[in-house]
Amino acid sequence: MSLLPSPENAINESALRRRIRYSKQVVLAMGASLGMATMGMTVTWPNALLRDLRVDNTTLVGTRLHLADWQKDLMGSVVFVGSLPGLLVAGWVLGRLGRRRSMALGAAPGLLGWLLVALGANVSMLAVGRMLQGFTLGMVSVAATTYITELPDASIRGFACVLPTLFSEAGNLFVASLSLVLPWYHLAFVCASVTVLFIAITFLLPESPSYLVVCKEESRARKVLAMLRGPDVDVEEELRILKKQNEGLAGDNPGWRSLLKGVVVRRVLVVVALFLIQSFSGLMVFVSNASRILRSVGSAMDERLSTIVVFGVELLGCACSCCLQDRIGRRRSVVLSLVVMAAALVAMGTYAFLAGNAAAAALEVADLPAKALNSTFYLHVPREKGEQLRVVAEPSMDVMKEVGLAGWEWVPLACLVVYMFVMCLGIRTVPYILASEYFPTTIRPQATSVCMTFASFIIFAALQTYSLLLEVLTQAGLYWTYGAVAACGALFSLVFITETSGKTVG
């Protein structure tokens, strides 16, 4: 990576022309980012499904759904299983068809997946639909991230590269809000319509100039660059630098073989480690299970409204991240977010621990109300010496009053709000940015595909083991474990992240 002088130092460019140039690039990045909004809807949709099934488990076609705990986890995790083939073919498809057409092609299975989910009569149909959505998640995430990395000037690339995450969070909030008035199957039809809109928009986007240069289509690349950079930028110089960077970094054997170079392997390992830290500090667990978690710790606010608050805060955090990425850089934003996340997780775990111990000490098992029973909150009640009986219980408001914790029910929601906000400032967005920025154009699709594939394995493991870890560690122990991962991740990021802010990518 090096500084690209021509667009950033256009000597005769007026402030108005610069604003027009930046605005044009941001609008195009927003068009590509709409695909990530459908990804946010995909990840958040299980919240609406599981909440609605507790009230009425009837499907649109009249059948009834009965989901075991592992099937509830599956509704979130199977998406990331389905993303694996999408990620694996993305590197090849982006190199053959280009970035723009790859986005349109990748979105088609997701459209079919939403229709299967909406019309789902049984768990199998839901699972197949979710896997198809996962394929789209994998392919579109690589295509959109690569496209947006290659499009803008280096001075606003940080802002532009946060837009996919911002749109993803907007998708989260969109689904959470509509779930107040629409059942899960009607919500799926709405999400399908957004996917159709995204496919239509991709046909209006220009192809990536970096991709065109690599494909030796210099005349097309020159036209796209002239449109993006304006009349005050030396387009020929930018073309020359793009060709030089990719020839020097990829050599005569671009593609998968170049991934074996030492510098590429090291950067892939750093990005994969960041995804590991991201997932096992609780990110996707909280996004996919926000309503279950808030209900389990006895949040005072209605779970639907509290879920909307959480996703609204995420959206605000991503908006702030757009402004921060080009100011404080990638490394410092990640360290900041992980340190504050660790503190919030420790506080949330402490609250769960005190609530559980206090309730266990104050109540006999026989006194627990039937309405308090569920599968997520664990009380350990001593019975005889050396023996413990585990009771599965939700702390109702009556229980909270009896154990002296009434008035503190705002703590878990406050901790989750802080966690979600600071998470979006760094660790939520930066791994996806670096998965694209770290690599030159000739190997960017393949390298990003490899990083995202590992990320999907990691996210699947985090989601599918959520209930198991909750049972083994208890709720407090799980949050403390997430907090420890976040603290260790801050140290790792401080040492191993190479700053890319303000530098161009080939």
Side-chain angles (χ1 to χ4, degrees), residues 145-168:
T145 301
T146 301
Y147 180 81
I148 293 170
T149 300
E150 296 172 351
L151 199 70
D153 294 353
S155 60
I156 64 165
R157 194 179 63 246
F159 177 91
C161 285
V162 176
L163 287 175
T165 306
L166 181 67
F167 272 66
S168 177

Side-chain angles (χ1 to χ4, degrees), residues 395-408:
S396 66
M397 290 299 105
D398 292 338
V399 171
M400 298 297 284
K401 290 179 181 178
E402 289 191 43
V403 298
L405 289 176
W408 293 91

Side-chain angles (χ1 to χ4, degrees), residues 227-245:
M227 183 270 292
L228 291 173
R229 307 295 188 238
D232 301 301
V233 173
D234 187 352
V235 171
E236 295 300 326
E237 176 66 9
E238 185 167 354
L239 279 173
R240 185 190 67 79
I241 292 175
L242 285 173
K243 287 189 290 185
K244 181 179 179 180
Q245 285 180 328

Side-chain angles (χ1 to χ4, degrees), residues 385-432:
K385 187 175 181 180
E387 180 186 359
Q388 286 189 326
L389 174 66
R390 184 168 57 201
V391 179
V392 184
E394 174 185 337
S396 66
M397 290 299 105
D398 292 338
V399 171
M400 298 297 284
K401 290 179 181 178
E402 289 191 43
V403 298
L405 289 176
W408 293 91
E409 297 87 357
W410 56 269
V411 170
L413 179 59
C415 290
L416 192 55
V417 163
V418 170
Y419 173 94
M420 290 294 193
F421 179 80
V422 298
M423 168 263 291
C424 289
L425 297 181
I427 194 61
R428 174 72 171 89
T429 56
V430 170
Y432 294 97

Side-chain angles (χ1 to χ4, degrees), residues 218-472:
E218 292 186 21
S219 60
R220 287 183 62 196
R222 188 177 290 107
K223 291 179 182 178
V224 174
L225 282 172
M227 183 270 292
L228 291 173
R229 307 295 188 238
D232 301 301
V233 173
D234 187 352
V235 171
E236 295 300 326
E237 176 66 9
E238 185 167 354
L239 279 173
R240 185 190 67 79
I241 292 175
L242 285 173
K243 287 189 290 185
K244 181 179 179 180
Q245 285 180 328
N246 284 285
E247 289 171 359
L249 289 171
D252 296 326
N253 297 298
W256 293 102
R257 187 179 302 178
S258 298
L259 297 181
L260 300 177
K261 292 185 176 182
V263 64
V264 175
V265 171
R266 285 193 295 272
R267 290 188 170 186
V268 167
L269 290 176
V270 170
V271 174
V272 170
L274 289 176
F275 279 120
L276 188 67
I277 293 164
Q278 181 195 79
S279 291
F280 283 94
S281 59
L283 188 151
M284 280 302 174
V285 168
F286 285 121
V287 170
S288 296
N289 298 282
S291 61
R292 290 171 67 186
I293 290 170
L294 289 169
R295 179 168 54 91
S296 70
V297 294
S299 174
M301 187 182 293
D302 174 78
E303 65 180 272
R304 292 192 178 201
L305 294 178
S306 58
T307 301
I308 292 174
V309 169
V310 168
F311 289 138
V313 168
E314 275 193 88
L315 185 62
L316 178 62
C318 284
C320 293
S321 182
C322 286
C323 302
L324 284 177
Q325 287 302 321
D326 290 316
R327 285 178 166 82
I328 70 173
R330 318 302 190 238
R331 183 195 297 115
R332 282 185 286 183
S333 64
V334 170
V335 173
L336 171 65
S337 67
L338 286 171
V339 168
V340 181
M341 283 166 58
L345 287 164
V346 169
M348 196 168 179
T350 301
Y351 176 88
F353 176 78
L354 293 176
N357 279 359
L363 298 173
E364 290 293 329
V365 176
D367 294 332
L368 289 173
K371 66 179 180 180
L373 298 181
N374 70 24
S375 61
T376 53
F377 194 84
Y378 297 90
L379 306 180
H380 294 266
V381 184
R383 304 300 293 167
E384 296 178 3
K385 187 175 181 180
E387 180 186 359
Q388 286 189 326
L389 174 66
R390 184 168 57 201
V391 179
V392 184
E394 174 185 337
S396 66
M397 290 299 105
D398 292 338
V399 171
M400 298 297 284
K401 290 179 181 178
E402 289 191 43
V403 298
L405 289 176
W408 293 91
E409 297 87 357
W410 56 269
V411 170
L413 179 59
C415 290
L416 192 55
V417 163
V418 170
Y419 173 94
M420 290 294 193
F421 179 80
V422 298
M423 168 263 291
C424 289
L425 297 181
I427 194 61
R428 174 72 171 89
T429 56
V430 170
Y432 294 97
I433 296 175
L434 296 183
S436 188
E437 283 186 338
Y438 265 178
F439 312 104
T441 301
T442 46
I443 63 168
R444 183 171 295 124
Q446 294 87 349
T448 303
S449 176
V450 169
C451 293
M452 298 290 195
T453 299
F454 277 105
S456 286
F457 275 116
I458 293 167
I459 293 170
F460 172 78
L463 289 174
Q464 196 59 33
T465 58
Y466 168 60
S467 294
L468 175 63
L469 290 176
L470 199 58
E471 182 176 355
V472 173

